[in-house]
Amino acid sequence: MTLSMKEKKILYAYGCPSHHNTVTRLKWLTALTVDPEAKRRMLGLARKVETEVGESWYEDFYHHLRMEMDEYRRLKRSLRVLKSYTDYEEDLYEEAV
C-alpha cells in the first residue's frame, strides 16, 4: 500500500496498533470533519486502511510507519536548525554584487 505524506501524517497522529480501532477512529474523524476536501481525504484513508491492509500484519505496518515518521521529523528538525545557523543568503548576495 502506498501512502502520501499527508496520509502518513494522519496515521501518525490518529493511528494505533489495533487495526479495528484505527479504522473506527478514522471514520469518526471523517464524521467530525467539516471541510469537504478533508472529509473526502479522511474517508479515502479509512477505506484504504480497511481494505488494503490485513489485520494480521497491520501492527507491523503501524510500527514501521511510526519509525519512518519519527525519522522524518528528526531530519526535518535538523534541517531547520541547520538553516538557522547558515547565513547562505547574504553570501550569495555579496557574490552577485
Side-chain angles (χ1 to χ4, degrees), residues 25-26 73 92:
R25 188 175 295 125
L26 289 173
R73 289 178 180 269
L92 292 175

Side-chain angles (χ1 to χ4, degrees), residues 4-92:
S4 69
M5 187 52 75
K6 287 183 181 182
E7 291 173 332
K8 288 180 182 182
K9 288 179 180 180
I10 292 169
L11 280 177
Y12 182 80
Y14 298 110
C16 70
S18 170
H19 181 265
H20 175 73
N21 290 346
T22 299
V23 171
T24 303
R25 188 175 295 125
L26 289 173
K27 288 180 179 179
W28 276 105
L29 285 168
T30 301
L32 294 172
T33 304
V34 179
D35 181 38
E37 180 62 28
K39 185 179 281 265
R40 184 185 62 77
R41 186 176 295 126
M42 291 292 284
L43 183 59
L45 178 59
R47 288 178 178 162
K48 187 185 285 189
V49 170
E50 187 174 29
T51 58
E52 294 182 22
V53 180
E55 285 187 44
S56 59
W57 64 276
Y58 174 77
E59 189 172 347
D60 293 333
F61 166 78
Y62 173 75
H63 289 299
H64 180 74
L65 174 77
R66 294 292 296 193
M67 288 187 326
E68 181 181 343
M69 292 304 290
D70 287 340
E71 182 68 15
Y72 169 77
R73 289 178 180 269
R74 188 188 67 75
L75 290 173
K76 196 170 183 180
R77 189 177 320 118
S78 298
L79 183 60
R80 229 183 357 256
V81 168
L82 182 65
K83 282 184 178 180
S84 70
Y85 288 119
T86 305
D87 218 7
Y88 61 89
E89 291 176 1
E90 290 181 19
D91 294 339
L92 292 175

